[in-house]
């Protein structure tokens, strides 16, 4: 940047030898020794004239700068220790470079010399004073007083600005910009701004240093004052009775707590570390650890009730139905009672109960009832979506924000060492690079190991053997196998319509009435209305949606009372259901769906309980294997292939014309394509749909079926019979086909449900077809779809 005043006369150029400076630069007023290592530099010194002057030009990335420095040789060249010649130069003033020409081995260049003016003006002198003040502050902050004295001896503003070239705070690019700024005023403005930035940075560093020093001094002062306060208290003789002494508070808590020996030693060691002068983050970590360790209710036990009959009464009062589940829970409580009374301790305190069933059947509330029946505290630990092993075992104290695991925190929240801890949603545990929480649970749920459970944060043994663990899950097959092996599964398959009516009348309606601010004599829901809600607005195994819908009815009743549109008491009947909840959301569509040949009704178990599904079969011209759609899993796809192969190989036996397999491709579809489906239990349904398609015989609309089929036409047993039968009953089906070997599972189905159904156990596909298909139609009368 050549900042030359436009009104300045242009002096005549001078032709001088050029010495290039590689990645270096010189400012006027500097004296330096130059190593003449390059041929260009040697030739330039040899070509100097009588005035012994050269021009020094920085060369950056192979290109010369536009401004150089005219310099005078002082003395003759001399040999340097490295074998090269060297010369001493003194920089005089700037020079604007012009045309260059080679002369011999040297490069000569026209230079318009630009010395600083003798009188730069008042503004320049004012800028020089400002620059001097800023630089002196910088040097004062760094304690460089000799340089301050040298700086005060420079009077010329231009020379004063060029002293910035000695500053280690300026980059090479800024120094080059300084060299190329010819105008003194502009040069001073630039260097002043740059030095102000340096001064600001120094001020920030100094402030940070003072803050740190002040914090350290404060901590040291507090420590000394505490020690002096201890000494004063000892002299006064009242140290032991002081509530203000932190160390003594911790020691009293340790003495009053029933800590195990290992935990006591660890607590005393940490108090000693704190008392010895731990400060800052270390002291905070120690205090947090001691609080967590002493918050565990060591040795505190709830007095357990041994009244088995009272426990059953509490379960009956809290839950309607679920007789098998209640009976198993009472058996479990009775065994615990005898083991406790007879001091039987063989290292196997009993099984861990797992309540498995669809949402809304009362798994969590059963856990609360068990705790009430035992007289213990209840804590729920939600495990759904937990992916970090440290959530179970705790974080190690080396991590910032470390804390104990969920079980130690559960004991702290319960206030006893023998609460009932409900492990909610164990089938939804995850795992990733942070560890596998289900593996960490193995130690917790193993009665032979959990008496010595070691939390990573506390790093002492915690006895969990007195805890009664319960687990809940929606799908048993999603529980990790090693964890499932430690559980005794109690299945809650859902409620019948009569049980739902009883639950709604005895529990849900009163609870929702209270939540909506109504009194008992202000609103009620009739049994017919409850059944209408169950049939038309819910399709679930539990009662969670039913309770929401009942809440809607009562909320609208409360609104009518508040608005004066109705008077108490309000009796909510079936007609009010349609008005307040809208049109029916669910319909008995089995008859409609099976109104054509090739559609059969199957039964399945999902995460929300039993459900009906439809299998549709179709055929079209083409070749190749069957087309399978509906997001089917591998096992279900194999079932479809088996069904088609068996029907094809036994076509004549089932009354199917073998010509229908010629040049035809079959397509099997299970609707609700967005929902993944898998399992072998649809084999019978797929086979019946295929035979229905090929014979033209419709599947009876009142029949649903389940069962695995083999290549030989045998029907094998499947799981979830109770849930499937209940689903068929909810869907309005009257006949259910199940495998012969599942006949014993009907004992689990409520008697009132079986009284309304005709269950057909079958051993072969032929028996299933005999029940499922409508009477035969002559082949010539068929219309192939």
């Amino acid at each position: 940047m050549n900042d030359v005043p436009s009104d300045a006369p242009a002096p005549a150029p001078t032709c001088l030898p050029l010495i290039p400076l590689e990645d270096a630069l010189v400012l006027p007023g500097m004296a330096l020794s130059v190593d003449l290592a390059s041929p260009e530099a040697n030739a330039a010194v040899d070509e100097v004239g009588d005035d012994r002057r050269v021009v020094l030009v920085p060369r950056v990335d192979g290109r010369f700068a536009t401004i150089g420095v005219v310099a005078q040789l002082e003395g003759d060249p001399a040999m340097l220790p490295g074998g090269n010649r060297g010369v001493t130069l003194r920089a005089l003033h700037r020079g604007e470079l012009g045309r260059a020409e080679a002369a011999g081995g040297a490069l000569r260049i026209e230079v318009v010399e630009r010395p600083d003016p003798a009188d730069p003006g008042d503004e320049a002198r004012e800028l020089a004073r400002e620059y001097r003040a800023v630089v002196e502050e910088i040097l004062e902050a760094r304690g460089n007083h000799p340089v301050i004295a040298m700086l005060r001896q420079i009077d010329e503003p231009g020379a004063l600005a060029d002293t910035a070239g000695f500053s280690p705070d300026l980059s090479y690019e800024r120094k080059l910009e300084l060299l190329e700024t010819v105008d003194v005023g502009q040069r001073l403005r630039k260097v002043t701004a740059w030095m102000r930035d340096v001064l600001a940075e120094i001020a920030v560093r100094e402030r940070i240093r003072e803050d740190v020093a002040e914090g350290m001094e404060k901590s040291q002062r507090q420590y000394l004052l505490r020690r002096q306060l201890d000494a004063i208290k000892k002299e006064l003789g009242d140290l032991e009775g002081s509530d203000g002494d932190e160390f003594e508070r911790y020691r009293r808590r340790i003495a009053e707590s029933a800590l195990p020996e290992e935990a006591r030693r660890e607590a005393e060691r940490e108090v000693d570390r704190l008392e010895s002068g731990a400060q800052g983050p270390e002291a905070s970590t120690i205090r947090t650890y001691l609080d967590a360790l002493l918050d565990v209710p060591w040795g505190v036990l709830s007095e357990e009730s041994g009244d088995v009959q009272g426990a059953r009464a509490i379960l009956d009062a809290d839950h309607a139905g679920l007789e098998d589940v209640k009976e198993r829970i009472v058996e479990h409580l009775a065994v615990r009672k005898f083991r406790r009374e007879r001091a039987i301790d063989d290292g196997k305190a009993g099984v861990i109960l797992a309540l498995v069933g669809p949402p809304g059947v009362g798994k969590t509330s059963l856990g609360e009832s068990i705790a009430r029946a035992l007289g213990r505290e209840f804590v729920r630990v939600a495990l759904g979506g937990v992916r970090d092993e440290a959530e179970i075992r705790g974080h190690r104290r080396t991590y910032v924000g470390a804390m104990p695991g969920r079980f130690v925190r559960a004991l702290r929240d319960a206030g006893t060492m023998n609460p009932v801890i409900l492990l909610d949603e164990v089938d939804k545990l995850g795992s990733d690079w942070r560890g596998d929480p289900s593996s960490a649970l193995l130690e917790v749920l193993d009665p032979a190991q959990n008496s010595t459970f070691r939390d990573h944060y506390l790093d002492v043994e915690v006895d969990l053997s007195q805890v009664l663990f319960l687990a809940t899950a929606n799908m048993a097959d999603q529980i990790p196998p090693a964890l499932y092996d430690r559980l005794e599964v109690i299945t809650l398959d859902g409620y019948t319509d009569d049980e739902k009516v009883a639950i709604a009348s005895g529990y849900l309606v009163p609870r929702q009435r209270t939540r909506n601010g109504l009194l008992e004599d202000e609103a009620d829901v009739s049994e017919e209305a409850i059944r209408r809600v169950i049939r038309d607005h819910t399709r679930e195994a539990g009662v969670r949606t039913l309770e929401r819908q009942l809440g809607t009815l009562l909320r609208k009743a409360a609104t009518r009372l508040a608005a004066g549109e109705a008077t108490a008491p309000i009796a909510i009947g079936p007609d009010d259901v349609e008005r307040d909840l809208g049109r029916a959301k669910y319909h008995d569509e089995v008859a409609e769906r099976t109104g054509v040949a090739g559609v059969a009704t199957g039964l399945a178990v999902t995460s929300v309980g039993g459900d009906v599904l439809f299998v549709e079969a179709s055929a079209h011209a083409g070749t190749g294997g069957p087309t399978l759609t509906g997001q089917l899993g591998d096992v279900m796809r194999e079932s479809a292939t088996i069904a088609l192969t068996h029907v094809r190989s036994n076509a004549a036996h089932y009354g199917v014309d073998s010509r229908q397999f010629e040049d035809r491709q079959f397509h099997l579809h299970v609707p609700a394509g967005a929902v993944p489906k898998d399992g072998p239990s649809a084999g019978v349904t797929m086979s019946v749909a295929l035979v229905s398609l090929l014979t033209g015989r419709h599947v009876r609309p009142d029949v649903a079926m389940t069962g695995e089929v083999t290549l030989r036409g045998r029907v094998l047993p499947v799981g979830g019979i109770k849930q499937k039968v209940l689903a068929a009953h909810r869907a309005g089906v009257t006949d259910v086909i199940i495998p012969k070997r599942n006949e014993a599972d009907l004992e689990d189905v409520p008697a009132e449900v079986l009284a309304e159904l005709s269950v057909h156990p079958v051993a072969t596909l032929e028996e299933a077809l005999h029940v499922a298909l409508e009477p035969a139609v002559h082949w010539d009368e068929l219309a192939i779809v």
Side-chain angles (χ1 to χ4, degrees), residues 18 98-102 107-110:
L18 185 147
R99 186 169 55 85
E101 61 180 10
L107 182 67
R108 301 183 69 86
I109 190 167
E110 291 183 353

Side-chain angles (χ1 to χ4, degrees), residues 390-413:
E391 289 287 333
I392 306 299
R393 295 187 181 275
H395 303 80
R396 299 192 183 277
R397 274 187 282 166
T398 51
Y399 296 106
V400 176
M403 63 177 63
R406 294 199 176 202
F407 291 103
V408 171
R409 282 182 276 161
L411 295 178
R412 178 198 63 194
D413 295 342

Side-chain angles (χ1 to χ4, degrees), residues 237-311:
D238 63 350
L239 182 61
E240 294 183 359
S242 173
D243 291 332
D245 192 304
E246 179 183 30
F247 312 131
E248 290 305 313
R249 281 202 306 273
Y250 278 126
R251 295 194 188 281
R252 280 199 303 275
R253 290 183 64 185
I254 293 172
E256 294 168 0
S257 177
L259 288 163
E261 188 58 33
E262 179 191 17
R264 186 177 301 278
R265 287 197 304 269
E266 185 67 19
E268 291 175 349
R269 188 175 72 87
E270 292 298 323
V271 174
D272 290 341
R273 286 182 57 202
L274 185 63
E275 194 172 11
S276 65
Q279 299 295 319
E282 182 185 10
S284 176
T285 301
I286 294 173
R287 292 187 185 97
T288 304
Y289 172 78
L290 285 171
D291 289 336
L293 182 64
L294 295 174
D295 283 344
V296 176
W298 304 100
V300 180
L301 298 174
S302 297
E303 186 176 349
E304 187 169 335
S305 171
D307 186 0
V308 175
Q309 291 182 344

Side-chain angles (χ1 to χ4, degrees), residues 7-68:
D7 56 347
T14 305
C15 193
L16 296 175
L18 185 147
I19 295 180
L21 300 177
E22 301 293 341
D23 296 324
L25 60 81
V26 176
L27 289 168
M30 293 183 179
L32 72 159
S33 296
V34 177
D35 186 349
L36 305 176
S38 67
E40 297 169 301
N42 265 302
V45 172
D46 292 338
E47 292 290 332
V48 294
D50 295 335
D51 58 357
R52 299 178 61 80
R53 296 196 305 169
V54 295
V55 61
L56 305 177
V57 182
R59 183 159 59 185
V60 182
D61 297 330
R63 300 182 61 183
F64 288 111
T66 58
I67 299 293

Side-chain angles (χ1 to χ4, degrees), residues 367-586:
E368 296 176 356
S369 298
I370 292 172
R372 283 209 308 128
L374 288 172
R376 295 192 185 192
E377 298 295 327
F378 175 79
V379 182
R380 174 178 167 268
V381 177
L383 298 178
V386 172
R387 310 180 70 85
D388 190 353
E389 180 189 358
E391 289 287 333
I392 306 299
R393 295 187 181 275
H395 303 80
R396 299 192 183 277
R397 274 187 282 166
T398 51
Y399 296 106
V400 176
M403 63 177 63
R406 294 199 176 202
F407 291 103
V408 171
R409 282 182 276 161
L411 295 178
R412 178 198 63 194
D413 295 342
T416 68
M417 296 297 286
N418 64 338
V420 174
I421 295 182
L422 181 74
L423 309 178
D424 211 6
E425 310 291 0
V426 295
D427 56 332
K428 297 176 179 62
L429 281 169
S431 63
D432 58 14
W433 55 271
R434 290 170 290 187
D436 185 359
S438 64
S439 298
L441 276 178
L442 299 181
E443 178 187 1
V444 175
L445 299 183
D446 191 339
Q449 301 180 46
N450 61 12
S451 61
T452 57
F453 173 75
R454 185 174 289 270
D455 184 88
H456 285 165
Y457 182 79
L458 298 184
D459 200 25
V460 296
E461 290 183 355
V462 180
D463 185 3
L464 299 179
S465 62
Q466 300 295 321
V467 176
L468 175 58
F469 289 103
L470 302 174
T472 71
N474 294 133
M475 300 290 287
D477 56 0
Q478 293 180 5
I479 301 175
L483 183 59
Y484 185 86
D485 186 56
R486 286 166 167 76
L487 305 175
E488 178 175 336
V489 175
I490 300 177
T491 304
L492 287 74
D493 292 313
Y495 300 106
T496 65
D497 286 355
D498 290 339
E499 289 174 336
K500 289 182 180 180
V501 170
I503 293 171
S505 300
Y507 303 92
L508 305 184
V509 170
R511 183 161 62 195
Q512 286 298 321
R513 189 161 48 211
T514 301
R515 289 180 180 177
N516 287 284
L518 296 171
L519 300 177
E520 185 177 356
D521 57 354
E522 288 182 326
D524 197 13
V525 184
S526 68
E527 180 178 330
E528 292 78 12
I530 294 173
R531 290 189 182 275
R532 175 72 66 85
V533 173
I534 293 171
R535 185 178 67 251
D536 294 345
H537 296 274
T538 67
R539 186 65 60 86
E540 59 177 345
V543 293
R544 190 167 291 160
T545 304
L546 174 60
E547 182 173 10
R548 282 198 294 268
Q549 300 291 9
L550 293 174
T552 301
L553 292 175
L554 290 167
R555 187 169 61 251
K556 291 184 179 297
T559 303
R560 289 195 292 272
L561 279 176
E565 299 174 2
T567 57
I570 296 179
I572 301 174
D575 295 336
D576 299 315
V577 172
E578 184 174 355
R579 180 192 63 195
D580 293 341
L581 300 184
R583 58 183 178 81
K585 297 181 177 63
Y586 300 97

